[in-house]
Each structure stands twice: as C-alpha cells, then as structure tokens.
Amino acid sequence: MEWQFVSKPWLGVLVWLLPAVLAAPGCANYRMGSQSIYAPDVRTVYVPMIRSNSYRRYMGEWLTEAIVKRIEDVTPYKVVHESELADSELRVQIITDTKQTLMESYTDEPREQQFTLQVAADWVNRNGEQLGQPVNVPLPSTLNPINQSANLFPELGQSTTSAEMQDVQELAIQIVSMMEAPW
C-alpha cells in the first residue's frame, strides 16, 4: 500500500495561525493607534473654570476654552460640564503673569517685549489620585509650574492681547499633552 499525500491549503494557514492565537492572551494589554497614548480607564474629563491670580481680564476664561477645545480635538476624552458625571478632573490655576521689555528704542519706547504665563495643573481621577505623567517626587502643582512665553513687537503693531492669546494656545497644548500616558 502506497501513501498518497493530498494537498490541503487550509492546513498551512492553520500551522501559521495557531502560534499567533496561542500568543494573543499574553498581549491582552496591548493597544494600537492614537488610543494607546491615553489612559483607557478614563472617558470623561471635567475642566472647571481656571482660577487666576492675574489682574489681566479674561485670562482664566481664555485658557479654559483653549484647553477644552484641545481635549475635544486631540484626545479620545469627552469634556463634561458637571464634576459628578466625570471620570477625572483637570484643575488648572494661573499662578503669575509677567510682561517685560527686552529691547527699547533710543526714545525709551518698547521695541520688543515678552509676556510670560506660569500655571499649575493637576489631573486627578474620582478618588483624587494623580493621573497622566508619573512624578518621581510627588509635589504640589504650584511647586512644579508650567511656563510659556511669547514675544511681542509693539512697533510692528502687535498687541499685548495677541501675545497673551499665543501663550494661552501654547499652554493648552502643553497641559493636554501632560494627559498622555507614559511610555
């Protein structure tokens, strides 16, 4: 009696697919795409109105609006308007703002100025535990501030408000990027 080999194409697929199926349970926590850089257990974020120690008008409102828009545009999180409905809360406070002259004309008029905002931000879950980037030494957010500066040129017609808005937009990017999960 002679053995005759019958070709079965599905057998080859099974031989290659079996190790992948057996290895899959070990990769249960693996995530792909843009979702992989954000915490999977957080779906909603509450952003209260930003407190400001600044005497500049509307700075807290502008920064709150920029952060909310950035969270909605870039992250998979949904911003909610009540803290009871949220999985997490992003607390931000404007600590200080400064405006200094970097260069003057020969008539002592400002040629170049710099506007700097310094903020403190905490992202916590419902239990008050810190979320986002891990910190080796837990410090209050006011001792670990986020700074952003923008130069303005009054001679060229640039206003203080445009420099403030530039700072607000850049701060929103920095604050929302701190919500990314560590590698």
Side-chain angles (χ1 to χ4, degrees):
M1 182 169 169
E2 190 174 310
W3 290 91
Q4 189 176 22
F5 182 71
V6 178
S7 175
K8 297 181 181 174
W10 58 269
L11 188 61
V13 172
L14 184 64
V15 168
W16 288 103
L17 190 60
L18 187 62
V21 170
L22 293 176
C27 300
N29 291 332
Y30 186 74
R31 296 175 288 157
M32 293 177 55
S34 65
Q35 305 293 328
S36 66
I37 61 173
Y38 297 103
D41 56 338
V42 176
R43 296 187 191 279
T44 56
V45 179
Y46 172 63
V47 182
M49 184 60 67
I50 293 174
R51 295 175 292 151
S52 176
N53 294 338
S54 172
Y55 290 108
R56 297 185 189 278
R57 294 183 65 186
Y58 308 118
M59 195 62 63
E61 290 87 348
W62 290 343
L63 188 54
T64 303
E65 181 182 1
I67 289 172
V68 168
K69 284 181 180 179
R70 184 78 182 170
I71 289 172
E72 292 280 340
D73 289 346
V74 175
T75 70
Y77 308 132
K78 176 73 178 144
V79 177
V80 294
H81 300 288
E82 294 181 31
S83 61
E84 295 81 26
L85 303 174
D87 298 330
S88 63
E89 182 176 343
L90 180 63
R91 300 180 202 138
V92 180
Q93 177 181 2
I94 298 174
I95 300 170
T96 185
D97 65 294
T98 58
K99 181 176 154 185
Q100 63 182 0
T101 301
L102 301 177
M103 186 185 318
E104 293 180 344
S105 68
Y106 66 91
T107 59
D108 289 335
E109 293 180 42
R111 282 193 135 168
E112 181 180 4
Q113 295 178 319
Q114 185 175 55
F115 181 73
T116 304
L117 270 175
Q118 187 177 61
V119 301
D122 283 322
W123 187 35
V124 295
N125 64 11
R126 285 185 180 173
N127 301 328
E129 298 167 346
Q130 190 76 26
L131 293 171
Q133 301 291 340
V135 181
N136 293 336
V137 180
L139 294 172
S141 59
T142 53
L143 296 179
N144 192 14
I146 302 169
N147 293 313
Q148 180 59 46
S149 297
N151 289 355
L152 65 133
F153 302 93
E155 277 188 345
L156 301 177
Q158 187 178 8
S159 68
T160 301
T161 305
S162 64
E164 291 171 349
M165 288 305 294
Q166 183 181 349
D167 270 356
V168 163
Q169 295 300 323
E170 293 296 323
L171 275 172
I173 291 169
Q174 287 184 45
I175 291 167
V176 173
S177 69
M178 95 178 192
M179 298 171 80
E180 296 176 359
W183 284 79

